[in-house]
Amino acid sequence: MLSRPKPGESEADLLHFQNQFLAARASPAVKIVKKADKRKGEEGSTDAERPPLQDHKDVVMLDDFPDILPALTPAPPKKSKIKSACVHFEDEDPEERLESHDQHITAVFSKIIERDTSAVAVTMPVPTGDPFPRTFHRSEIKSEVKVGSGRKSIFAQKMAARRAAEKVATAPSAAECVQIRSAAPDALDPEGSAGEAPLPRIRDDKAGDFLTSQWPCLITGEGLGSQKSEQEAQAIHKENLEKLRSMSEEEILQEREKLLAQLDSSLVAFLKSRRGGNEGQKKELKMEQNRLEEFVESLPVSQHGVGSSLSLQESGLEESVRKEENMKIEITEDDLPVKPKKEWIHMDNVEFEKLEWMKDLPSPRQKKTKKGMQARFSLKGELIPADADLPTHLGLHHHGEEAERAGYSLQELFHLSRSQVTQQRTLALQVLGRIVQKARAGEFASSLKGSILRLLLDAGFLFLLRFSLDDAVDNVMAASVGALRALLVSLDDEKYLDWTFSWYQGMAAFPFVPNNEEEEEEEEEELNGTEKSQDKKLKDENKPDPDVARYDVVKGLLKTRIQHRLRYILEVVRPVPTVVLDILHILTHIARHSSEACSQLLDCPRLIETIVREFLPTQWDPRVAEPGCLLTSLHGVACATAMKFIRVLASGGRNATARLLKKFEMKNRLSRFIAEDPLDLLLPREEAIRLSTEAFRLWAVAAAYGQACDLYRDLYPVLVRILQSLPELLSTCRGKRPMIELSVQRATAVVTLLIHVTQTAGYTAELQAKLSSSEDSEQIPPPPVAWNQVSGLQPFIETSLKKFLQEISQTETWQTLQPLTTTYVIYLGVYYSACSQQPSVNPIDCLEELERLTSEVLQPLLSQPAIQSMWDLLRPCSALCNPLSCSPAPESVFSIASLSCTGGKPPLSLVGSKSPFPFLTALLFLINNITHIHKGLTSKYSSVLGFRGLKDYLHQSWQTRPPSVTPSSVWILRHEYHLQYFVLALARRMAGTCPDYAQHASLHHCVAMALLSRLLPGSEHLAYEVLLDLAFNPEFLPEGKAGGPEAADFSDILHLGTSAKLAQPGSAAAFFSKATRGALLRESYQNLPFIRSCYLSHFVHLQPTLMRSQASYQGWNYLIQSMLLPEVKGPILPSDWPFFPLISLYNKVTNAETRGAVLNSLPLDLVNTVTWNLQWVLLLETWRAKTLQSIPTAAKLARLMCVFLTGGDLFLEAPIHRYTAALLSVYCQPKALDSLNLDAPLPGLASFHDLYISLLEQFEGVSFGDPLFGVFVLLPLQKRFSIHLRLSVFGEHTSILRALGVPLQQFPVPLERYISPPEDNLNLLRLYFRTLVTGALRHTWCPVLYVVAVAHVNSFIFSQDSTTQEADAARKGMLRKTWLLVDETLKEHLLYYRLLNAESPLGFDLYEQLPPMRLKYLQMVTQKENKENAPVLVS
């Protein structure tokens, strides 16, 4: 016997074993046989019998194992279809033999009969309010299921129980069915209840008599397979009927019960559903509707609405059922556009429901309904009405949802944008871009519910565009760029920003930073602005891109490095001109975002180089200028949009401008496009003028930083030639030639450049003197332009101004030339302001020039009727008087800053074409500079303040609440505040020189106070000037000289009952003589200089921003860092700034105590600070009360409470005590008390309750029983305020009740506000009663709260209104305890209290004897107590 191979033996050993085996001729352990071919029918053919060239398979056979597996269960033996004994003929065709044994697939499929589901009920899922389907736990399912054969897991048992429960819920059991039938005889199964004989009832009921039915309900015969299936079913049905007729009713019931017991409940329910059929459903709906109609008729008239709504709902249900049935049968061959024929393959049995998609679309809904429908848009981005029936050849129909409606929904467009087909992605992005553009224009505001832009951004539209921007297909890339431009950029916004560029301070603009970002936690005062910005930058870097983009789209795009992708498209892809312009617009919008965004654009590799090289070349193809030339590529051609992008980028900061001028050689480009006349540029004329205009604006921005002024010397002849040609614009304007507006814009840009060059030259001598005098500190080098190089331009401009002003009466001509005239006036103001400071200029010559300008130009101008009409237009065009003119657009989103100029502004608006604001602001700027230099000319301009239109405008503007702070409002309001400031500055000069000015003083002071709380960041210089010269100026408070204090004393005498003076017993103030309010006002008026210094010292934290603002307004170009103003989150000063010193002092003390330090004594200056603060507030509350109307009365009281919370016994200082008492009397007037609301949130205060608890704790510690302090504690305890304040006094701080000794005669608040309406809180009433009974609250200690507690307890114990059992027991218990009181005085007060009486020493009147009703009720309660608890009473 051969051995088996062992480990380690090689292939040679295996071959040796094989040779030995073959030589021995031994039989193998296995036998290789060929199984019979099923198609041949042979089973044991050998190799010799195998036909040649026929493949065969080797089959391994094992001995002692059968070929067929044994059957596990006894079963009849299978007969093989192919046996070796089959007879085969030699001439038999194999193909025919194959066909006879192997049937085609159609033979198999033809025998498959689909189950008929037409009668199966379809149940819709039950709608719930949950966002996800409710999950179930296996513990919720009863496991009362009998486990059959085999073991089941717990989960399987639970699932089986759940299925059984669902079946029971959907199909009731037999017993339940019987009960239902007995309760509702007109239900589906009309057999009757189990207690009655069902058969007679069935036979009497013709509608449900199945014994007389001609057709079977359950048996259809479909499964018999024969053609006579219906006859068989009918025969079975007749046999069943005969069987039933032969049985008695008792036998039928017995058999029925047996069947119900044997069959499954689900099977019974199925049989009953088949029993009813469609006829039963229709009858049930009809009968249900009849019952509802009868029920509605029986209802009262007032309830008919509900019934009618129910009937409408039921009829709608029946309609829906009828529609479903109609849909089943309405699909016929006539409805199909292509008629199927029987000759077609597989069309012998036509299934019309599968061909439903071929029939014509149903007509869209025509009637308007309240139910909202999904918005659908055309390929142009237009909204398609819901009832629009558009033809299908427009390509707006598809096989999605609502196939009958034309157009695409936003969801479908999103789906198409991620398609694999390039054309679909391109089309979807193009349509989305058009939708966004139309949405921003407000076309959908009245048609759609909600905001499309907000919906798209929430759905990820921004990042869809960003991903599509990375697509390799040019068309997809171009479509995404267009959509992104439509989302970010508003060309109308850019138009109006260019329009205001040459206004006074119009070059500076607010950054496009959204102001609705996440609210950050308040940081400590020690953190400066730099640290805060660094922390915010780190937080933004750690946030995901979508989180950043949710609050700031531009910042989110920069996080995705969009600038690098745009650079790649411009440099490598080189798209068509439209895409290039869109990219430049997007980059311009990003540059307007912030200085950080400008830095990222400048740092992007090769971005600026590509734009300058490709779109601002010095040479290009001259064929571009040929008429009719179609540009296929913008690369290599000068473009005005690229120059504008560079200009906006330069506005981001002086460092950015220096990089652009030096590193990117923008000086050469400026020389190239400025030196050549636009008519000579090889560009289309309109594009050439725009390019020249943007070049001058870029140069003006650089000159505003004091840069690029060396070009002035090189291009001086060009500038003079342009100035000489400016008067020709007048004749061009009269002739109404084309391009006149563009030419005027270019001339305006030239004059704006000269304004900033003149400002730069104005401080050259000053910087030169500083450079030569000091050498130790770092000095700023003087600019390369001197005063004598710019002084020769003034005659050209003044001559042109005189010619233009002659056309002021011509409306159309003046409207066209007004922008240029405005810049002329601004130039003259800047020129004379700088000229008066030049050491080389004779001051007398300067003053004579100003006198000549006043007499020859300005005075005649002010007397013209056209100027009068301009003042009258201030009020209609004002944004303050018309807040809706600067409201955000309907589709504006907070994450994208927008000026809401889409569609243009109306002519009568602040930036409209008929607005007088730019010219009048420039005129007032010139007049202020003239009167500042030549004070003798001030009286010449007194007529300015007397214009009726100006006075009406000022009177309405300061009383109207300003619009909310949004990007669309701040840039407009800033220009309006400039005009108001110049009016006030002129008024300040008039106040000291013109004797008749006093009539305007009060109005101008109100305007100044309103302006202080409205000025926006960037205008700190104006706020400082108003505080310094206007707000605290005695000339603007004429009441101090004209009997104001005496009038206040007289008013107090007339209203003595409503404003009683408070005494200060036991305090330091008692040693000083009491002062009347008139004396306090007189003292405050005399201390106005000290008050001004106090406030200026407390605003010292604004010093850094003040320096930047002064550099801009004073024309110190060498100190200006950026043309972007600070980010706006609100006005510079808060609305409650008159209380700022007091709040600042309170914060300092609170912070010191938080750190563990205790301030036992306060220096004298702090006492003076608080005194001056209170004096200023008293002046405003008395003579300028309307200016403080924006501050709630509760906020004022909360600020005054800081007096008591600061510095221990600071409130006991005599002056502080007097002025606080005077202010308290003002705030306790009836109107002020009516407006007091302590429950509303207060600005600057997190919780009034916490502040009040601090006040209670301070009163317990340092009050010394001061009545003034006590009044502040008692004020919030009025009945209409929060009950928690009263609970805190009577529950946690009852010790203060002994020190609240405010006399009733000195309490300034009527007690009716404390006792009306009666108290209904049981806990507080028990606290009232407990403090009275225990003696914690006595009339001698706290008379005010004693009266309040007695009144509420008396009202409660004698109340007989229906209430809860607990309250009834409590009031009866209080009444019994009151009857048993030992203190007879308290008992008398609680039982015999009648009404409040301010004249009574007690504060209330008492009954001499109880009224009969009260006496009877008292006897009833006390006698019942005596009967029930007699032993207790005896003891």
Side-chain angles (χ1 to χ4, degrees):
M1 185 172 179
L2 298 175
S3 62
R4 297 180 64 86
K6 299 178 180 179
E9 294 178 347
S10 62
E11 293 183 0
D13 298 329
L14 294 178
L15 290 175
H16 178 65
F17 292 153
Q18 182 181 359
N19 294 333
Q20 289 180 358
F21 174 76
L22 294 177
R25 294 182 179 272
S27 60
V30 295
K31 182 180 179 180
I32 301 175
V33 296
K34 173 62 177 175
K35 279 198 170 184
D37 190 355
K38 291 183 180 181
R39 298 187 182 275
K40 295 295 184 180
E42 299 292 339
E43 185 178 13
S45 60
T46 59
D47 294 343
E49 299 175 353
R50 184 184 301 124
L53 300 178
Q54 185 173 356
D55 295 337
H56 65 280
K57 296 181 179 179
D58 295 337
V59 180
V60 179
M61 301 293 295
L62 298 178
D63 293 338
D64 300 332
F65 281 94
D67 293 339
I68 301 174
L69 293 175
L72 298 179
T73 57
K78 295 184 178 180
K79 295 182 181 180
S80 176
K81 292 183 179 181
I82 304 172
K83 295 183 178 180
S84 59
C86 292
V87 179
H88 301 290
F89 300 95
E90 294 181 357
D91 57 345
E92 186 178 358
D93 188 6
E95 185 176 356
E96 293 179 359
R97 190 166 67 250
L98 177 64
E99 290 294 337
S100 64
H101 293 286
D102 191 7
Q103 296 182 351
H104 193 263
I105 191 172
T106 57
V108 180
F109 278 176
S110 63
K111 294 181 180 180
I112 298 177
I113 301 175
E114 295 185 2
R115 184 167 62 91
D116 186 12
T117 60
S118 59
V120 176
V122 180
T123 58
M124 297 298 293
V126 180
T128 63
D130 300 331
F132 296 99
R134 180 180 175 273
T135 59
F136 70 94
H137 193 266
R138 66 184 189 184
S139 61
E140 301 176 11
I141 306 171
K142 297 181 180 179
S143 58
E144 298 177 0
V145 177
K146 296 180 180 180
V147 181
S149 60
R151 300 182 60 185
K152 286 188 177 181
S153 65
I154 296 178
F155 183 76
Q157 296 177 24
K158 297 290 184 180
M159 291 300 295
R162 180 171 180 265
R163 293 191 187 99
E166 290 178 352
K167 291 178 181 178
V168 172
T170 55
S173 62
E176 292 172 351
C177 292
V178 172
Q179 294 175 3
I180 292 173
R181 292 188 197 104
S182 63
D186 52 350
L188 270 178
D189 192 4
E191 291 185 4
S193 62
E196 300 177 4
L199 202 55
R201 176 166 185 169
I202 293 174
R203 288 173 180 171
D204 292 341
D205 191 355
K206 296 180 181 180
D209 191 2
F210 62 87
L211 295 179
T212 60
S213 176
Q214 299 296 328
W215 300 98
C217 299
L218 302 178
I219 305 173
T220 61
E222 295 178 358
L224 296 178
S226 63
Q227 296 181 354
K228 297 182 179 180
S229 58
E230 294 184 1
Q231 290 84 346
E232 293 291 337
Q234 187 69 18
I236 295 173
H237 178 59
K238 291 181 179 179
E239 184 180 350
N240 291 336
L241 291 179
E242 293 176 358
K243 181 70 175 176
L244 287 173
R245 289 192 182 98
S246 64
M247 298 174 63
S248 64
E249 296 181 4
E250 291 78 6
E251 293 175 347
I252 292 176
L253 286 177
Q254 290 177 2
E255 293 296 330
R256 180 173 177 272
E257 293 298 332
K258 290 180 181 179
L259 287 175
L260 290 177
Q262 294 174 0
L263 297 178
D264 188 21
S265 59
S266 61
L267 181 58
V268 174
F270 169 72
L271 295 176
K272 289 181 179 180
S273 65
R274 294 285 295 171
R275 167 73 175 78
N278 294 334
E279 294 293 328
Q281 188 178 7
K282 290 182 181 178
K283 292 175 182 177
E284 180 194 11
L285 288 171
K286 183 66 177 177
M287 299 170 72
E288 184 71 19
Q289 184 177 1
N290 293 336
R291 287 199 307 272
L292 285 169
E293 290 176 356
E294 294 173 1
F295 177 69
V296 171
E297 291 176 359
S298 64
L299 285 175
V301 180
S302 60
Q303 300 182 13
H304 270 36
V306 181
S308 61
S309 65
L310 289 173
S311 64
L312 287 175
Q313 293 176 5
E314 291 297 329
S315 62
L317 176 62
E318 186 177 3
E319 248 179 65
S320 64
V321 174
R322 189 181 301 115
K323 287 180 180 178
E324 290 179 1
E325 294 174 358
N326 293 337
M327 286 178 64
K328 294 178 185 177
I329 62 175
E330 68 181 352
I331 306 169
T332 62
E333 186 176 349
D334 297 335
D335 296 333
L336 301 179
V338 179
K339 306 299 184 292
K341 298 180 180 179
K342 293 184 178 180
E343 293 79 9
W344 296 351
I345 187 172
H346 305 317
M347 281 297 174
D348 50 350
N349 185 17
V350 181
E351 300 175 89
F352 290 103
E353 60 271 10
K354 295 183 179 180
L355 300 177
E356 184 182 359
W357 64 273
M358 296 177 59
K359 69 174 187 177
D360 292 337
L361 291 172
S363 59
R365 185 167 62 184
Q366 298 293 334
K367 297 181 180 179
K368 295 183 178 180
T369 60
K370 295 181 179 180
K371 182 180 179 181
M373 300 186 68
Q374 193 175 31
R376 294 192 172 273
F377 303 89
S378 68
L379 299 182
K380 295 181 180 180
E382 299 170 347
L383 181 66
I384 299 178
D387 55 352
D389 192 4
L390 300 180
T392 56
H393 70 269
L394 297 178
L396 297 177
H397 293 79
H398 50 83
H399 297 290
E401 297 179 356
E402 300 176 325
E404 70 276 6
R405 292 188 58 198
Y408 290 84
S409 65
L410 295 179
Q411 183 179 1
E412 292 163 352
L413 290 172
F414 263 68
H415 182 70
L416 278 181
S417 65
R418 307 308 298 165
S419 170
Q420 296 290 340
V421 183
T422 303
Q423 291 83 351
Q424 290 182 347
R425 296 203 305 274
T426 305
L427 179 65
L429 292 172
Q430 289 174 346
V431 174
L432 285 172
R434 294 169 188 147
I435 292 173
V436 169
Q437 191 165 1
K438 293 182 180 296
R440 294 197 66 175
E443 296 186 12
F444 306 141
S446 60
S447 305
L448 297 181
K449 181 180 180 181
S451 170
I452 286 187
L453 292 185
R454 192 174 296 110
L455 179 66
L456 288 174
L457 290 176
D458 291 342
F461 179 58
L462 181 68
F463 290 94
L464 170 67
L465 297 180
R466 183 62 186 90
F467 299 151
S468 302
L469 206 61
D470 294 334
D471 202 300
V473 182
D474 291 352
N475 289 341
V476 178
M477 195 186 308
S480 61
V481 168
L484 188 61
R485 197 271 304 161
L487 178 65
L488 293 181
V489 183
S490 172
L491 297 181
D492 289 328
D493 288 356
E494 295 293 332
K495 171 188 172 183
Y496 281 97
L497 284 174
D498 295 341
W499 171 259
T500 59
F501 181 83
S502 297
W503 289 15
Y504 176 76
Q505 292 291 322
M507 187 180 296
F510 289 105
F512 277 17
V513 178
N515 59 353
N516 289 38
E517 296 183 0
E518 288 179 309
E519 295 183 0
E520 300 178 356
E521 296 181 356
E522 295 184 0
E523 300 178 358
E524 297 183 359
E525 295 181 357
E526 288 78 12
L527 290 177
N528 54 28
T530 306
E531 293 177 353
K532 291 181 182 179
S533 61
Q534 290 176 355
D535 292 343
K536 185 178 179 182
K537 187 176 181 181
L538 290 175
K539 290 180 182 178
D540 290 339
E541 290 177 355
N542 296 330
K543 286 182 180 179
D545 296 350
D547 291 347
V548 177
R550 187 178 296 113
Y551 301 99
D552 194 334
V553 167
V554 173
K555 190 177 291 186
L557 287 174
L558 288 175
K559 282 205 70 179
T560 64
R561 298 167 63 86
I562 189 176
Q563 67 272 27
H564 297 270
R565 181 60 183 173
L566 296 179
R567 188 270 311 161
Y568 173 82
I569 296 174
L570 291 176
E571 184 181 20
V572 180
V573 181
R574 301 173 72 88
V576 295
T578 305
V579 179
V580 171
L581 293 177
D582 288 344
I583 290 177
L584 292 175
H585 285 307
I586 293 171
L587 291 173
T588 303
H589 182 85
I590 293 175
R592 290 193 184 277
H593 179 269
S594 59
S595 298
E596 292 79 7
C598 294
S599 301
Q600 293 188 42
L601 293 178
L602 280 170
D603 296 337
C604 179
R606 301 194 308 280
L607 174 62
I608 309 301
E609 292 93 330
T610 301
I611 294 176
V612 173
R613 181 183 68 251
E614 298 292 345
F615 309 113
L616 292 175
T618 56
Q619 296 179 354
W620 56 88
D621 190 351
R623 290 177 295 179
V624 175
E626 296 178 1
C629 177
L630 181 62
L631 273 179
T632 59
S633 176
L634 203 58
H635 288 70
V637 181
C639 175
T641 309
M643 184 66 76
K644 179 180 179 178
F645 164 65
I646 299 297
R647 185 253 297 179
V648 175
L649 198 61
S651 301
R654 62 185 305 112
N655 295 331
T657 306
R659 292 177 62 182
L660 289 171
L661 293 176
K662 295 181 180 180
K663 181 179 178 181
F664 302 107
E665 300 181 352
M666 285 306 301
K667 280 189 179 181
N668 298 336
R669 265 68 179 181
L670 288 177
S671 302
R672 167 70 176 85
F673 299 122
I674 289 176
E676 194 169 1
D677 192 86
L679 298 177
D680 299 331
L681 285 174
L682 298 177
L683 290 171
R685 185 176 178 186
E686 181 178 353
E687 183 69 14
I689 298 177
R690 292 182 186 276
L691 179 61
S692 179
T693 302
E694 290 299 335
F696 277 110
R697 287 173 178 167
L698 174 59
W699 191 8
V701 171
Y705 297 126
Q707 300 175 4
C709 290
D710 51 345
L711 290 177
Y712 175 79
R713 294 175 300 181
D714 302 335
L715 299 176
Y716 183 79
V718 177
L719 296 175
V720 172
R721 185 177 69 248
I722 294 174
L723 288 179
Q724 291 174 343
S725 64
L726 290 184
E728 300 175 1
L729 289 175
L730 189 58
S731 58
T732 306
C733 184
R734 289 171 179 169
K736 297 183 180 180
R737 296 181 184 178
M739 308 292 178
I740 180 61
E741 290 187 2
L742 294 178
S743 300
V744 171
Q745 288 185 17
R746 177 174 177 266
T748 304
V750 173
V751 180
T752 304
L753 163 69
L754 298 178
I755 289 173
H756 293 286
V757 172
T758 303
Q759 279 183 341
T760 304
Y763 57 78
T764 302
E766 179 183 356
L767 292 179
Q768 189 69 39
K770 290 182 179 179
L771 185 63
S772 59
S773 62
S774 178
E775 298 179 357
D776 46 340
S777 61
E778 183 178 355
Q779 296 295 325
I780 301 175
V785 56
W787 178 254
N788 56 3
Q789 296 173 343
V790 300
S791 58
L793 302 178
Q794 184 265 344
F796 294 102
I797 292 180
E798 186 175 340
T799 303
S800 297
L801 176 63
K802 292 179 181 179
K803 292 183 179 181
F804 286 1
L805 289 179
Q806 294 174 1
E807 303 293 329
I808 194 172
S809 59
Q810 305 296 326
T811 306
E812 295 183 3
T813 305
W814 172 253
Q815 189 172 330
T816 304
L817 296 177
Q818 180 181 343
L820 181 56
T821 312
T822 300
T823 53
Y824 282 163
V825 177
I826 296 174
Y827 173 84
L828 291 179
V830 170
Y831 173 81
Y832 285 114
S833 177
C835 180
S836 62
Q837 300 174 6
Q838 299 304 314
S840 59
V841 176
N842 188 357
I844 298 178
D845 296 339
C846 181
L847 296 179
E848 290 177 353
E849 284 189 21
L850 293 176
E851 293 174 357
R852 178 187 55 80
L853 180 67
T854 299
S855 58
E856 295 180 3
V857 180
L858 297 182
Q859 280 191 323
L861 174 65
L862 292 174
S863 61
Q864 292 193 20
I867 290 294
Q868 174 74 34
S869 63
M870 282 189 183
W871 296 110
D872 295 336
L873 284 176
L874 284 177
R875 187 172 172 180
C877 296
S878 167
L880 288 173
C881 300
N882 306 282
L884 295 179
S885 63
C886 56
S887 59
E891 279 288 345
S892 59
V893 290
F894 67 88
S895 58
I896 303 177
S898 172
L899 304 184
S900 301
C901 296
T902 305
K905 292 286 187 179
L908 286 179
S909 61
L910 197 140
V911 292
S913 57
K914 296 182 180 180
S915 173
F917 275 89
F919 179 75
L920 293 182
T921 302
L923 182 62
L924 290 171
F925 169 69
L926 174 60
I927 293 174
N928 270 283
N929 284 348
I930 291 175
T931 55
H932 176 71
I933 300 169
H934 195 327
K935 295 180 175 54
L937 297 177
T938 304
S939 59
K940 302 286 185 180
Y941 298 100
S942 59
S943 61
V944 173
L945 301 180
F947 282 110
R948 183 66 184 175
L950 177 61
K951 291 190 290 185
D952 292 344
Y953 159 71
L954 293 177
H955 184 73
Q956 184 177 356
S957 66
W958 79 267
Q959 296 187 73
T960 307
R961 186 171 182 174
S964 57
V965 175
T966 60
S968 59
S969 64
V970 291
W971 75 289
I972 293 179
L973 293 174
R974 178 171 175 266
H975 295 292
E976 184 164 0
Y977 295 157
H978 287 160
L979 181 135
Q980 291 189 353
Y981 168 75
F982 287 129
V983 171
L984 296 176
L986 182 61
R988 177 179 51 110
R989 296 189 175 91
M990 296 288 183
T993 56
C994 300
D996 57 345
Y997 169 75
Q999 58 180 338
H1000 308 299
S1002 298
L1003 172 63
H1004 293 157
H1005 190 256
C1006 291
V1007 174
M1009 294 300 298
L1011 185 62
L1012 268 178
S1013 58
R1014 295 175 177 177
L1015 284 173
L1016 301 168
S1019 301
E1020 288 82 4
H1021 170 68
L1022 305 185
Y1024 175 78
E1025 291 294 326
V1026 173
L1027 282 173
L1028 187 65
D1029 298 328
L1030 292 167
F1032 306 100
N1033 193 337
E1035 298 291 338
F1036 288 89
L1037 288 167
E1039 293 86 351
K1041 297 179 180 179
E1046 292 79 5
D1049 287 339
F1050 188 67
S1051 175
D1052 291 343
I1053 294 173
L1054 293 179
H1055 303 87
L1056 186 61
T1058 59
S1059 58
K1061 292 295 175 293
L1062 297 175
Q1064 298 86 19
S1067 67
F1071 297 98
F1072 296 89
S1073 60
K1074 300 178 182 179
T1076 62
R1077 189 155 64 106
L1080 297 178
L1081 289 172
R1082 194 176 296 107
E1083 182 182 4
S1084 303
Y1085 184 79
Q1086 295 173 354
N1087 288 338
L1088 280 176
F1090 302 104
I1091 297 174
R1092 180 184 65 177
S1093 61
C1094 170
Y1095 278 86
L1096 290 177
S1097 63
H1098 277 83
F1099 292 134
V1100 71
H1101 64 282
L1102 299 175
Q1103 189 67 25
T1105 55
L1106 175 62
M1107 295 298 296
R1108 290 194 292 268
S1109 179
Q1110 283 180 340
S1112 177
Y1113 282 98
Q1114 298 291 343
W1116 301 336
N1117 293 353
Y1118 59 93
L1119 296 178
I1120 296 177
Q1121 298 299 321
S1122 175
M1123 288 298 154
L1124 288 178
L1125 297 169
E1127 182 180 347
V1128 179
K1129 292 185 178 179
I1132 302 172
L1133 300 179
S1135 59
D1136 60 345
W1137 68 267
F1139 296 90
F1140 188 78
L1142 190 57
I1143 298 173
S1144 177
L1145 177 60
Y1146 168 73
N1147 290 334
K1148 288 180 180 179
V1149 173
T1150 304
N1151 293 336
E1153 293 177 352
T1154 303
R1155 292 191 295 266
V1158 179
L1159 300 179
N1160 295 322
S1161 60
L1162 294 174
L1164 180 61
D1165 58 341
L1166 292 182
V1167 176
N1168 292 335
T1169 298
V1170 176
T1171 303
W1172 292 330
N1173 192 167
L1174 296 175
Q1175 287 177 344
W1176 177 240
V1177 175
L1178 180 62
L1179 284 175
L1180 295 180
E1181 289 288 358
T1182 306
W1183 294 333
R1184 299 288 182 268
K1186 289 185 178 181
T1187 61
L1188 299 180
Q1189 281 183 346
S1190 60
I1191 310 174
T1193 307
K1196 297 176 183 177
L1197 280 176
R1199 271 63 175 171
L1200 278 185
M1201 288 179 181
C1202 295
V1203 174
F1204 303 97
L1205 297 174
T1206 302
D1209 57 352
L1210 176 67
F1211 63 94
L1212 294 177
E1213 297 289 338
I1216 295 176
H1217 204 279
R1218 292 172 183 169
Y1219 285 102
T1220 306
L1223 285 172
L1224 180 63
S1225 65
V1226 173
Y1227 296 144
C1228 288
Q1229 299 293 333
K1231 289 183 179 180
L1233 289 176
D1234 292 339
S1235 64
L1236 183 62
N1237 185 10
L1238 299 179
D1239 298 331
L1242 301 178
L1245 191 62
S1247 170
F1248 182 82
H1249 182 267
D1250 295 342
L1251 180 70
Y1252 186 70
I1253 296 301
S1254 302
L1255 190 72
L1256 292 180
E1257 294 172 353
Q1258 188 78 355
F1259 185 84
E1260 289 176 339
V1262 297
S1263 68
F1264 300 102
D1266 184 70
L1268 178 63
F1269 201 162
V1271 173
F1272 276 89
V1273 172
L1274 293 173
L1275 266 178
L1277 300 181
Q1278 299 178 43
K1279 180 64 176 64
R1280 60 193 181 99
F1281 299 142
S1282 173
I1283 193 174
H1284 298 289
L1285 302 178
R1286 300 190 290 279
L1287 287 173
S1288 60
V1289 172
F1290 285 90
E1292 303 171 3
H1293 299 84
T1294 54
S1295 59
I1296 69 171
L1297 298 176
R1298 183 160 186 156
L1300 274 173
V1302 181
L1304 291 172
Q1305 292 74 17
Q1306 297 178 6
F1307 189 60
V1309 183
L1311 289 180
E1312 288 79 6
R1313 295 180 179 271
Y1314 290 82
I1315 67 171
S1316 179
E1319 186 62 62
D1320 55 357
N1321 186 277
L1322 194 56
N1323 294 329
L1324 183 58
L1325 287 168
R1326 286 169 175 165
L1327 292 176
Y1328 283 157
F1329 189 73
R1330 186 181 69 180
T1331 54
L1332 289 171
V1333 171
T1334 58
L1337 179 60
R1338 301 181 184 180
H1339 188 274
T1340 55
W1341 291 346
C1342 185
V1344 175
L1345 292 184
Y1346 181 85
V1347 174
V1348 172
V1350 167
H1352 282 302
V1353 172
N1354 175 268
S1355 174
F1356 179 68
I1357 61 178
F1358 284 107
S1359 173
Q1360 300 181 31
D1361 298 335
S1362 59
T1363 182
T1364 61
Q1365 184 177 0
E1366 181 185 4
D1368 184 64
R1371 65 189 178 189
K1372 289 180 179 178
M1374 284 188 190
L1375 184 55
R1376 295 188 192 105
K1377 293 177 182 178
T1378 304
W1379 178 253
L1380 300 175
L1381 280 176
V1382 179
D1383 189 348
E1384 294 294 334
T1385 303
L1386 178 60
K1387 177 179 178 180
E1388 181 184 8
H1389 291 171
L1390 289 176
L1391 293 178
Y1392 291 87
Y1393 170 84
R1394 183 178 184 181
L1395 291 173
L1396 291 176
N1397 184 3
E1399 303 298 330
S1400 172
L1402 289 176
F1404 54 86
D1405 292 335
L1406 297 172
Y1407 285 111
E1408 294 182 0
Q1409 59 181 0
L1410 284 177
M1413 184 177 295
R1414 287 194 174 191
L1415 181 61
K1416 183 178 180 181
Y1417 179 72
L1418 176 63
Q1419 291 174 353
M1420 179 188 69
V1421 174
T1422 55
Q1423 287 177 2
K1424 184 178 180 181
E1425 177 71 16
N1426 292 333
K1427 291 179 181 179
E1428 293 178 356
N1429 300 323
V1432 178
L1433 294 176
V1434 172
S1435 61

